[in-house]
Amino acid sequence: MRIVLLGAPGAGKGTQAESLVKKLNLPHISTGDMFRAAIKNGTALGLEAKSYMDAGKLVPDELTVGIIKERISEPDCKEGFILDGFPRNVAQAEALEVMLAEQNAPLDAALNIDVPLEKIVTRLTGRRMCKDCGTIFHIAFNPPKEEGKCDACGGALYQRSDDTVETVTNRLNVYTEQTAPVIGFYAEKGLLRDVNGDQDIDKVMIAMGEALGQQWN
Ligand code: ADP
Ligand code: ADP
Ligand code: ZN
């Protein structure tokens, strides 16, 4: 199954992807995670991406489309994948269509996790991530058992440098102007499934299953 996760920053794409990976046994491909890994490893890609990410802007399409094209041609994507954070504008959505048409492997669904924008700032500023394994927490909505420590691996939790109030405002503007139109792109193709993301994490997961025609509980 080839799935795209849509939704504003902080809507819960990464959180839901963690469960989807286990349910569907497919690779999770997050452009944000790939850029953060590149920054951590000090690669040329990371160096270039960092300034855009810190400003809350989109990394240019040439870079982003290139890394996705490489990643989805890898053998573990043969049975499908869960794309999280890509495509983030209509040009990327079109580029993805071309890539998948070349492989004769069309998308099955675009799941749009819908959360009112006024709830997003609290989600993003309270987000904490594990520096070792990337597991996502929230100080109020999904706290770790022990403060500052990852439940999955014991690693230290950190706050992303772009999860500050100032950068979040820019990211939300970018979302409204450039990313929200991608919803219409997939609606026109009959691939869009809306999921209510404004409920408990477990309930969102059940709604995701329903949107994919599966029963999870
Ligand atoms: P969030 O899940 O909070 O929206 P991500 O981890 O997906 O954040 O992305 C973090 C940053 O990485 C974005 O603000 C942007 O700068 C960059 N980025 C991620 N995916 C893309 C993409 N598909 N196109 C351009 N930039 C991207
Ligand atoms: P995205 O990948 O879309 O940017 P994340 O999955 O990283 O979003 O979630 C953003 C923050 O909101 C995290 O701190 C996460 O723990 C929290 N979160 C995710 N889903 C929910 C939910 N259904 N209710 C409350 N908080 C949530
Ligand atoms: Zn961890």
Side-chain angles (χ1 to χ4, degrees):
M1 193 151 28
R2 284 170 290 273
I3 302 169
V4 162
L5 299 182
L6 300 176
K13 302 180 295 297
T15 301
Q16 294 303 322
E18 286 173 3
S19 316
L20 280 181
V21 163
K22 292 182 198 142
K23 296 275 185 196
L24 300 171
N25 196 23
L26 293 171
H28 170 209
I29 304 177
S30 154
T31 35
D33 286 348
M34 290 163 95
F35 288 135
R36 279 184 291 276
I39 292 171
K40 199 171 165 188
N41 295 328
T43 67
L45 172 72
L47 211 63
E48 177 132 26
K50 190 174 186 330
S51 57
Y52 295 99
M53 292 171 78
D54 284 344
K57 294 184 182 158
L58 295 187
V59 177
D61 290 347
E62 306 88 81
L63 291 177
T64 311
V65 170
I67 62 167
I68 284 294
K69 191 165 185 178
E70 248 174 53
R71 182 66 188 87
I72 65 173
S73 342
E74 284 175 27
D76 66 329
C77 291
K78 266 216 160 62
E79 300 302 319
F81 47 73
I82 299 154
L83 273 183
D84 160 10
F86 182 96
R88 243 181 166 91
N89 60 28
V90 171
Q92 292 180 6
E94 283 166 347
L96 178 66
E97 245 205 329
V98 173
M99 281 176 228
L100 294 179
E102 280 166 2
Q103 302 184 4
N104 213 357
L107 281 182
D108 294 284
L111 301 180
N112 180 37
I113 307 179
D114 200 17
V115 173
L117 286 188
E118 66 268 19
K119 300 222 170 155
I120 289 294
V121 178
T122 319
R123 284 208 186 180
L124 290 175
T125 52
R127 173 160 62 187
R128 299 291 182 272
M129 280 177 99
C130 173
K131 79 173 177 21
D132 294 332
C133 74
T135 299
I136 303 162
F137 297 89
H138 190 283
I139 50 170
F141 307 142
N142 187 23
K145 292 198 181 76
E146 202 180 316
E147 202 188 317
K149 203 167 158 185
C150 174
D151 291 353
C153 79
L157 304 187
Y158 77 104
Q159 180 170 27
R160 276 170 45 179
S161 59
D162 59 346
D163 278 347
T164 56
V165 177
E166 308 83 68
T167 313
V168 164
T169 312
N170 290 342
R171 287 161 65 199
L172 288 179
N173 288 336
V174 167
Y175 172 77
T176 307
E177 284 162 22
Q178 302 188 52
T179 311
V182 176
I183 299 172
F185 177 92
Y186 287 120
E188 263 175 38
K189 303 201 179 291
L191 292 172
L192 188 73
R193 312 275 181 273
D194 276 310
V195 173
N196 175 10
D198 186 15
Q199 48 183 340
D200 286 352
I201 292 174
D202 295 354
K203 295 215 170 99
V204 179
M205 213 235 327
I206 292 168
M208 304 270 285
E210 282 165 7
L212 293 171
Q214 315 219 353
Q215 218 181 1
W216 293 335
N217 37 44

